[in-house]
Amino acid sequence: MKVLAYSLFSDFDISLFVSGKHFRLYEKFGAHLISVNNTDGTYFSVWAPNAQAVGVIGDFNHWDRSTHPLNRRLDSSGIWEGFIPNVAKGTVYKYSIRDFNGKEIEKGDPYASRWEHPPRTASIVWDTDYTWKDKPWLKKRPKLNALNMPMSVYELHLGSWQRDPSEPKRVLTYKEIAASLVPYILDMGFTHVELMPIMEYPYYPSWGYQITGYFAASSRHGTPQELMFLIEELHKSNIGVILDWVPSHFPGDAHGLYHFDGTHLYEHADMRKGFHPDWKSYIFNYDRNEVRSFLISNAMYWLDKFHADGLRVDAVASMLYFDFSRKAEEAATNEYGGSENLGAILFLKDLNEAIYGNFEGVQTIAEESSTYPGVTNPVYAGGLGFGMKWMMGWMNDTLKYFKNDPINRKHHHHQLTFSVTYAFSENFMLPFSHDEVVHGKSSMIYKMPGDEWQKFANLRVLYAYMFTQPGTKLLFMGNEFAQTHEWDFKNSLDWHLLQHPPHLGMQKTVRAMNQLYTSEPALYEHSFSHEGFEWITADDADQSVFIYIRKGKKAKDTLVVILNLTPVYRQNYRFGLPIKSNWKEIFNTDATEFFGSGKLNLNTLKPEKQECNGREYSTLIDIPPLGAIVLKQTK
């Protein structure tokens, strides 16, 4: 017999799967290299409840539909399975499905751990075996990845961070990337990297956000084990790895999840709920238990098999609301007449409970742009259970403010002060991501007004503002050295810009800010709490000066941050001191090494008994043009 009756599923597995509570389906579904009756081969299983017949086709049987039919389980699970002898690792295959309507279709394996290099679309029999050497990292991860520790994230797209100069059209392999990325992140002082989606996807211009192979590392860069090597090398240098994860939608490619067995299996059958009009993609049916099991198992897979330290969950707002990006009259409603997608809300709560309940020291981060309450509140307290949420309002207000000519900034002062009113309503991450440097939005440096010197000074002070505000940080690749072009996924970053002093100075600034952020407890110990922030002056709109305090657990760690957001040199500027103490400038964006003008405060600032800003003691300081200063107490 060419296909032996065999199953990896117990009755308990089936009951968990159909109830939406099986979170390790990757151990059961897909292609598994095993031995049955002393014969090596591969066990296949796939969920296709409305199919009339399912078989395996591939290079091992000359793609003949008739030779290797799978057996349908006798229960109501809709699973087809069987063991095929002598099918070895590396075998290329698909599922041949006679669908609900009797049409013969070919599908890739939703649980395949490897796929062919696009544009080819077949799955490959593979394994996830790897001898990990990152145990020291995993042991200390709960401490280093905690919410009271610094998190400075470098977001990157593997295909365009660097390319081979001698062959610029070729993307680098995971191993080649490891050789240059690890030392670069170490040198720059980022604590984490965030990889834009590395799951297999067919259309390169989608940047990985339209996935067909949810359980497969993209073959564009190598094998699953080579991705594991990259993550391991980062871990060896105490660098955390966050993966972008897309449970919000998937493309309609013929070999993918769409219409998998001739019916709307993974996507919602009601296209008001199942189709995304902006992205022309299909929305998962979160009301279906088996779909929730699939998605949560996928999240667990990347944390389990690839030792990822966190997932940044894409487009959460699009999942939460039926009327996201739709006119009200075109949107569906829930059973109570509201716009909330109750199935998606249940899914996100189950997801976060499963992740935090099974993995120590990981984080989930929501890319969520709505005002949905409690995104980072625990599930038991009525929240969605995420660890952090992107602070989109802060990002939008900040960029709007900085685009203004400095002469007009006094009229927009509130755009920088307003975010503090809600800064502690969630655990916020402050992002300057890839989304801000594409589609005609211009690069970060060209968002800044003024001549060349002013553009760079503006960008330095913008980054200083981000690094000294409450919340964790995220910076997209190229932003750290003021990439001049918008991000182009087809080409490498413009690393040659570092030959020029302004760009080199910007890179040095970001390196110094990372060092400051990770070494000063006041900047991270209370990232998500009112305890860590206090204004000294928030109302000097006429001079566009902002002064605030950052506090750690110990009074001696207190910092004062001063921003001057005009090109006017503010000499002998008086401000109130939080503590009667001597103060020393420990950071200044105007340093000449940063391509600044060198207007520093080299002398110790001494307290004077003169009331200012409602404080008993004050002092005078010189604030450089378009500059940021950080002060710390000194004996």
Side-chain angles (χ1 to χ4, degrees), residues 384-572:
L384 295 182
F386 283 93
M388 281 168 272
K389 167 182 168 170
W390 276 20
M391 198 175 185
M392 309 298 279
W394 172 89
M395 180 273 297
N396 286 319
D397 285 348
T398 298
L399 290 181
K400 280 181 189 174
Y401 178 91
F402 272 86
K403 286 176 184 176
N404 288 308
D405 188 297
I407 201 169
N408 296 320
R409 285 178 177 170
K410 62 184 177 182
H411 304 300
H412 303 275
H413 200 73
H414 67 283
Q415 287 180 328
L416 287 201
T417 58
F418 175 66
S419 65
V420 176
T421 63
Y422 64 93
F424 308 107
S425 60
E426 302 274 8
N427 297 341
F428 281 120
M429 173 176 279
L430 312 183
F432 289 132
S433 75
H434 66 275
D435 281 326
E436 308 319 311
V437 291
V438 288
H439 301 321
K441 294 181 184 177
S442 87
S443 63
M444 290 294 287
I445 189 64
Y446 285 139
K447 295 182 199 295
M448 302 296 111
D451 58 24
E452 181 189 56
W453 189 91
Q454 290 182 353
K455 285 184 189 298
F456 279 89
N458 266 303
L459 192 56
R460 290 194 302 271
V461 75
L462 167 62
Y463 290 162
Y465 169 63
M466 176 180 78
F467 272 90
T468 57
Q469 281 285 293
T472 52
K473 328 295 174 189
L474 179 138
L475 204 59
F476 183 55
M477 65 180 197
N479 289 350
E480 78 276 17
F481 61 80
Q483 168 95 0
T484 50
H485 292 293
E486 282 193 340
W487 171 50
D488 177 6
F489 66 92
K490 300 184 297 295
N491 293 294
S492 169
L493 293 179
D494 294 330
W495 293 101
H496 62 272
L497 291 174
L498 289 170
Q499 302 169 43
H500 306 290
H503 295 277
L504 183 60
M506 185 63 64
Q507 187 191 52
K508 288 179 177 179
T509 307
V510 172
R511 183 188 290 116
M513 285 185 206
N514 271 325
Q515 199 280 327
L516 179 76
Y517 172 54
T518 56
S519 62
E520 292 294 340
L523 295 178
Y524 61 78
E525 285 185 337
H526 295 304
S527 283
F528 312 117
S529 166
H530 286 280
E531 298 172 76
F533 182 90
E534 184 182 343
W535 284 110
I536 290 178
T537 178
D539 56 6
D540 188 358
D542 284 343
Q543 299 188 86
S544 296
V545 170
F546 301 79
I547 306 179
Y548 47 89
I549 307 166
R550 292 304 312 277
K551 305 174 190 176
K553 294 176 181 176
K554 299 175 181 176
K556 69 179 181 65
D557 293 329
T558 301
L559 302 177
V560 173
V561 181
I562 304 171
L563 309 177
N564 174 14
L565 300 181
T566 69
V568 179
Y569 185 27
R570 307 283 179 197
Q571 291 181 283
N572 294 317

Side-chain angles (χ1 to χ4, degrees), residues 137 150-153 185 189-193 238-241 514 517-518:
W137 162 260
M151 180 177 282
S152 179
V153 181
I185 298 299
F190 290 97
T191 64
H192 292 68
V193 296
N238 294 326
I239 300 163
V241 179
N514 271 325
Y517 172 54
T518 56

Side-chain angles (χ1 to χ4, degrees), residues 28-43:
K28 309 294 177 179
F29 277 119
H32 294 271
L33 293 158
I34 61 172
S35 181
V36 175
N37 298 332
N38 296 318
T39 301
D40 292 337
T42 301
Y43 163 80

Side-chain angles (χ1 to χ4, degrees), residues 154 161 178-193 233-240 510-511 514-515 518:
Y154 186 71
W161 179 66
S180 51
L181 180 63
V182 174
Y184 185 71
I185 298 299
L186 271 178
D187 175 59
M188 288 300 297
F190 290 97
T191 64
H192 292 68
V193 296
E233 289 300 298
L234 288 160
H235 283 173
K236 285 180 180 178
S237 294
N238 294 326
I239 300 163
V510 172
R511 183 188 290 116
N514 271 325
Q515 199 280 327
T518 56

Side-chain angles (χ1 to χ4, degrees), residues 4 138 145 155 178 194 215 243 246 308 454 465 509 524 550:
L4 299 177
L138 295 178
N145 219 30
E155 182 195 26
E194 180 181 316
F215 288 83
L243 301 181
V246 191
Q454 290 182 353
Y465 169 63
T509 307
Y524 61 78
R550 292 304 312 277

